C-alpha cells in the first residue's frame, strides 16, 4: 500500500513539474504557433524568423513553426495570414513588399492594409550596392560617372519587378539622373550569378546576402544606403558620404497578424518579442548579419508602415513602375 501511494505521489509530482514550463490555462499561447515567411528558405526574412522563433519557443514552452510561402513579392504568404483565424496563432513576417510596396505598385491586391494588424518592427538593414569583384568601379561615385558616360548601357538586376532591389534601383536613378537598364529575375540567386560573372554591373541587396560573396572575393560593395557605416563592412562608406544624401533604403522585418486579432494577444506578442530582441545573443547575431534590432509598440510599427507606403508610392509613380 505504501509503495502504491508513493508511486501515485511521484506521478503527480512529475506531471506538475512537466507542466510548469507551459502557460497556465487561459494564457497565450496554448499550442503551436505558425509563422508565415513569404519568401523562400535562406532569404534574410527566413534567417531572422528562424533565429527569433527558437527564442520565442523557449519563452512560451510552445513550438514556433516557420512556414515558407513565397510568391508575388510577398503577397502569397500575406494572403494566407489574412485569411487565417485572428487568434494570434498565425503570424506574418512583415516586409516592404507584402506590407507596403505591393499596395503602391498594384491597383488591386488580394488584401488591403486594413486586413493586417501591426505587432512589432523587429529590425532593419540598409541595402547595399554591389558589383563584380573585377568591375572597374570601386565606389558609388565611379558608378554614377560610368552610368552618365554610358547612358542605357549599364544593367542592374533585381529579384523581381516591384521588389525592394528594383525600387532601390529606380530611386537611385531618380536621384542621380542616370539611365540604367533594369533586368528582373525570379529571385536573387540568379541575379547574383550574373553580377559575379560581369553580365550585370549592379545589384542592390542586403548585408546578410552579400557578406559571404564579398568575403569569398566574388563581389565588392560600392556603398551602403544608410545613415551610418556597418560594423561588418567598416571600410565601405555610405552613399551620403559619397555625395548622395537622402538615398536611405532599408530592408526591414516586422510581425503582423490578421485584422480583428484581440488586442490582449497583440500586446502579449509585442511584449514577448520586445523581450527576445533585448537578449544579448540576439543583438550580437543581428550585428553579425548587418541588422539593427528595433522593437517598440504596435503603434510605432503602424506609423512606420504608413511612411513606407507613402514613400514607395512616390517612387512607383515617378519611375512609372508597372507590375509584371
Amino acid at each position: 500500500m505504501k509503495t502504491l501511494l508513493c508511486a501515485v505521489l511521484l506521478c503527480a509530482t512529475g506531471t506538475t513539474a512537466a507542466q510548469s514550463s507551459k502557460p497556465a490555462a487561459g494564457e497565450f499561447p496554448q499550442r503551436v504557433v505558425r509563422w508565415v515567411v513569404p519568401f523562400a528558405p535562406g532569404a534574410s526574412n527566413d534567417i531572422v524568423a528562424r533565429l527569433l522563433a527558437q527564442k520565442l519557443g523557449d519563452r512560451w514552452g510552445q513550438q514556433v513553426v516557420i512556414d515558407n510561402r513565397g510568391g508575388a513579392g510577398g503577397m502569397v504568404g500575406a494572403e494566407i495570414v489574412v485569411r487565417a483565424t485572428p487568434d494570434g496563432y498565425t503570424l506574418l513576417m512583415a516586409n516592404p513588399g507584402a506590407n507596403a510596396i505591393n499596395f503602391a505598385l498594384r491597383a488591386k491586391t488580394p488584401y488591403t492594409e486594413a486586413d493586417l494588424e501591426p505587432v512589432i518592427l523587429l529590425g532593419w538593414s540598409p541595402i547595399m550596392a554591389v558589383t563584380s569583384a573585377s568591375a572597374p568601379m570601386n565606389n558609388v561615385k565611379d558608378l554614377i560617372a560610368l552610368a552618365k558616360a554610358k547612358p542605357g548601357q549599364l544593367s542592374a538586376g533585381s529579384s523581381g519587378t516591384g521588389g525592394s532591389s528594383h525600387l532601390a534601383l529606380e530611386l537611385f536613378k531618380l536621384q542621380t539622373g542616370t539611365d540604367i537598364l533594369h533586368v528582373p529575375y525570379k529571385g536573387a540567386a540568379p541575379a547574383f550569378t550574373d553580377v559575379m560573372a560581369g553580365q550585370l554591373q549592379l545589384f542592390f541587396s542586403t548585408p546578410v546576402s552579400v557578406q559571404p560573396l564579398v568575403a569569398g572575393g566574388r563581389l565588392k560593395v560600392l556603398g551602403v544606403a544608410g545613415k551610418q557605416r556597418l560594423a561588418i563592412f567598416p571600410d565601405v562608406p555610405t552613399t551620403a558620404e559619397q555625395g548622395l544624401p537622402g538615398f536611405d533604403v532599408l530592408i526591414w522585418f516586422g510581425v503582423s497578424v490578421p485584422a480583428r486579432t484581440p488586442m490582449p494577444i497583440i500586446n502579449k506578442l509585442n511584449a514577448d518579442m520586445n523581450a527576445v530582441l533585448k537578449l544579448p545573443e540576439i543583438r550580437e547575431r543581428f550585428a553579425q548579419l548587418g541588422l539593427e534590432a528595433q522593437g517598440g509598440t504596435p503603434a510605432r510599427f503602424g506609423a512606420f508602415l504608413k511612411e513606407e507606403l507613402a514613400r514607395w508610392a512616390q517612387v512607383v509613380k515617378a519611375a512609372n513602375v508597372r507590375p509584371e
Side-chain angles (χ1 to χ4, degrees), residues 9 60 70 100-101 138-139 171-172 184 229 240 244 255 306 316:
L9 290 173
W60 291 336
I101 292 175
N138 292 307
N139 51 54
L171 179 61
F172 180 82
R229 297 190 184 194
L244 192 59
V255 176
K306 291 183 182 299
V316 166

Side-chain angles (χ1 to χ4, degrees), residues 20-236:
S20 62
S21 62
K22 295 183 178 181
E27 289 186 4
F28 174 88
Q30 290 287 315
R31 52 185 172 83
V32 172
V33 175
R34 179 173 64 151
W35 195 346
V36 176
V37 177
F39 295 96
S44 50
N45 290 263
D46 181 67
I47 293 171
V48 172
R50 292 180 187 278
L51 178 64
L52 298 181
Q54 180 181 353
K55 295 299 182 181
L56 288 169
D58 293 343
R59 185 177 183 87
W60 291 336
Q62 298 288 345
Q63 188 178 8
V64 180
V65 176
I66 303 300
D67 184 4
N68 295 94
R69 298 296 187 97
M75 283 198 302
V76 172
E79 186 177 6
I80 289 172
V81 175
V82 165
R83 298 185 184 282
T85 303
D87 55 9
Y89 286 94
T90 304
L91 314 176
L92 172 67
M93 186 58 148
N95 59 88
N99 294 71
I101 292 175
N102 277 319
F103 299 135
L105 185 65
R106 304 173 189 274
K108 289 186 178 181
T109 55
Y111 59 93
T112 69
E113 305 99 298
D115 291 324
L116 290 166
E117 286 289 340
V119 175
I120 188 170
L121 176 62
L122 296 171
W124 57 43
S125 174
I127 209 163
M128 308 183 77
V130 298
T131 190
S132 166
S134 61
M137 304 168 289
N138 292 307
N139 51 54
V140 171
K141 288 184 178 180
D142 289 347
L143 170 62
I144 295 172
L146 187 60
K148 288 188 174 182
K150 298 181 177 182
Q153 297 182 45
L154 300 189
S155 57
S158 79
S159 55
T161 299
S164 297
S165 54
H166 176 205
L167 291 193
L169 168 65
E170 296 300 338
L171 179 61
F172 180 82
K173 290 161 60 177
L174 288 170
Q175 292 191 351
T176 59
T178 53
D179 179 10
I180 301 174
L181 177 66
H182 170 232
V183 183
Y185 288 75
K186 292 184 177 180
F192 273 130
T193 299
D194 283 353
V195 172
M196 291 184 289
Q199 296 179 28
L200 296 174
Q201 288 72 52
L202 180 63
F203 188 71
F204 287 99
S205 189
T206 58
V208 63
S209 297
V210 306
Q211 186 182 24
L213 298 174
V214 173
R218 306 190 69 182
L219 290 178
K220 60 182 171 183
V221 185
L222 301 177
V224 178
K227 297 184 183 301
Q228 58 189 23
R229 297 190 184 194
L230 293 172
I232 60 173
F233 290 107
D235 297 328
V236 178

Side-chain angles (χ1 to χ4, degrees), residues 277-308:
L277 286 174
K278 292 177 182 177
L279 295 173
E281 60 267 34
I282 292 295
R283 289 190 171 269
E284 180 180 355
R285 184 61 180 140
F286 267 41
Q288 292 171 350
L289 295 171
L291 302 170
E292 183 179 341
Q294 291 300 306
T297 65
R300 182 208 174 191
F301 186 30
F304 176 81
L305 288 173
K306 291 183 182 299
E307 292 172 359
E308 281 286 284

